[in-house]
Amino acid sequence: MDIRRLISVRQRDPLETVRTLLFQVWKNGGLEGLFALAWQRERQIAQPVLLTDPETIPRVDPFAPVMLGNSASLAVNILRSNPGKRYGFMFRPCELRSFKVLARWQELDFSHTLLLSIDCLSVFPLDEFEWRIREIDDSVQLTHDLLQFASQGGILPSRFKLSCQLCERPYPKEADLHIEILGLKTSEHLVIGLRDQALAEQLGLDDMILGEVPAEVSECRERVLEKLAAWRGRSLAYAQSHLDANQSTLEGLTMHLHSCEPCLNRLKDHCPLFESVWLASDEGYQEPVLRDWIFSCGGCGMCEYQCPQDFPLFTVIAHLNHLMSEK
């Protein structure tokens, strides 16, 4: 990010501050809609939806600790169906990575869109999320609780999905606007990163900006990110150490997908990048194409599930992606 600014948190409520920020971005950015995670009125769940009225922003909660699917596919469909529309798309970092790959593969023009993202506080397994929801009166309280611990890097990581425990990139790259929270005292201030000065001037956020980001705030954030990366790196190494020889190679993964229909269907139904690659690879036999898919994996963890053959599908994919990224 070329521009980073400290913004004030009003009434010690970071979520409400983010909603105020998004309202101004919508108005000043000339948006015709905002695709974002929002709480549904009919049930206590947050789902990605295209909002076309800025008055609905009070439903938006980009930090809600639940993820029913990778929203990249839905966002790409919206983009394809509404060419030229000035939409904002708000993603978790893993979804942003998937969206950009998918849009590029389909040769879609998203230069007129505004890509927004956040530091990710991780998400709970669905059963854990539903249990926590039943124990509280207000579903948004889950978000407030998580944001309180952002300065420490989040709450006890072992309660989150395995994919979140292994994620070494809980922050986005190449978003037009990035809301930083990890390592920050979110009851006092947040940091926003903006693509360039022109966008900063267009969005006109002067009334929320406190000024340049103090060195001590940036240093604290870097320490927390380093601590998170080290912990998650050790978690990945531990998970990798439990893979056998047949689970440690792309050939082994390909052979498994040919023998396990549930895993194959899991990827077809939940990975936004997989199905077109599998079809293009002549039923999965062309390793270079599958290698591109593994390398492009955003790490969303939608392939994380209990395989009937006890094959650790997500861990294998994360392991292969890590090896390819290192090279």
Side-chain angles (χ1 to χ4, degrees):
M1 286 293 176
D2 291 331
I3 308 293
R4 292 176 72 236
R5 294 290 183 266
L6 197 72
I7 65 172
S8 59
V9 169
R10 300 171 180 178
Q11 298 181 334
R12 304 181 66 82
D13 189 336
L15 178 57
E16 194 57 38
T17 298
V18 167
R19 287 168 172 168
T20 300
L21 171 69
L22 292 177
F23 187 86
Q24 291 200 36
V25 167
W26 189 322
K27 289 293 189 179
N28 298 338
L31 299 184
E32 298 174 78
L34 176 66
F35 179 79
L37 196 65
W39 291 99
Q40 305 303 301
R41 294 191 182 93
E42 60 275 12
R43 59 195 185 111
Q44 289 185 304
I45 198 72
Q47 293 178 289
V49 62
L50 178 63
L51 304 172
T52 55
D53 182 353
E55 298 301 324
T56 57
I57 279 183
R59 291 169 47 201
V60 171
D61 183 356
F63 309 107
V66 61
M67 190 173 177
L68 300 182
N70 188 323
S71 66
S73 297
L74 180 55
V76 162
N77 290 337
I78 291 172
L79 187 64
R80 187 191 303 110
S81 303
N82 299 275
K85 289 282 190 179
R86 175 68 168 166
Y87 287 154
F89 290 90
M90 187 157 218
F91 297 110
R92 287 190 171 93
C94 57
E95 294 173 307
L96 177 62
R97 292 189 284 269
S98 298
F99 171 82
K100 298 190 85 168
V101 170
L102 195 56
R104 187 175 72 249
W105 284 1
Q106 297 188 19
E107 300 181 342
L108 296 177
D109 177 19
F110 55 91
S111 60
H112 53 282
T113 65
L114 191 64
L115 298 180
L116 307 99
S117 193
I118 57 167
D119 284 350
C120 184
L121 291 170
S122 301
V123 300
F124 295 115
L126 188 56
D127 56 350
E128 171 92 4
F129 171 81
E130 291 175 340
W131 174 80
R132 288 174 179 266
I133 283 288
R134 288 194 296 269
E135 296 297 310
I136 58 178
D137 296 326
D138 181 5
S139 55
V140 181
Q141 185 60 45
L142 280 181
T143 298
H144 290 305
D145 292 343
L146 288 178
L147 286 168
Q148 288 181 19
F149 292 93
S151 62
Q152 304 168 33
I155 65 170
L156 188 66
S158 59
R159 304 307 297 267
F160 294 125
K161 289 181 62 176
L162 176 63
S163 51
C164 295
Q165 295 180 45
L166 304 187
C167 175
E168 297 178 278
R169 299 173 291 172
Y171 47 86
K173 290 186 177 180
E174 299 181 356
D176 297 315
L177 187 150
H178 169 201
I179 301 172
E180 300 178 11
I181 55 172
L182 288 170
L184 305 182
K185 296 179 180 179
T186 56
S187 63
E188 299 176 10
H189 52 249
L190 306 174
V191 171
I192 55 170
L194 295 160
R195 181 187 63 223
D196 51 38
Q197 185 61 40
L199 180 61
E201 293 174 358
Q202 178 189 10
L203 297 182
L205 305 173
D206 293 346
D207 61 328
M208 298 186 69
I209 291 176
L210 292 173
E212 300 282 343
V213 182
E216 58 268 23
V217 172
S218 294
E219 290 166 4
C220 182
R221 171 176 167 79
E222 288 305 313
R223 287 196 298 270
V224 167
L225 291 180
E226 288 174 6
K227 179 180 176 182
L228 267 179
W231 191 94
R232 293 176 178 186
R234 290 193 296 270
S235 297
L236 177 60
Y238 178 80
Q240 289 172 318
S241 70
H242 287 74
L243 298 178
D244 61 38
N246 294 325
Q247 300 169 342
S248 301
T249 64
L250 182 58
E251 180 183 9
L253 172 62
T254 304
M255 291 176 61
H256 173 73
L257 294 178
H258 280 288
S259 68
C260 182
E261 187 174 356
C263 278
L264 183 62
N265 289 336
R266 179 75 185 190
L267 289 172
K268 287 181 177 180
D269 293 342
H270 292 83
C271 175
L273 306 178
F274 179 77
E275 186 165 20
S276 60
V277 169
W278 184 258
L279 294 174
S281 66
D282 188 25
E283 295 297 322
Y285 286 106
Q286 296 177 17
E287 280 198 9
V289 181
L290 289 178
R291 191 175 294 112
D292 288 343
W293 161 63
I294 290 286
F295 182 73
S296 300
C297 172
C300 68
M302 289 298 104
C303 56
E304 181 184 331
Y305 90 119
Q306 183 59 51
C307 165
Q309 298 181 22
D310 291 326
F311 186 87
L313 184 61
F314 170 77
T315 303
V316 171
I317 293 172
H319 163 69
L320 295 174
N321 174 267
H322 185 75
L323 291 181
M324 293 179 189
S325 298
E326 283 189 329
K327 294 179 181 179

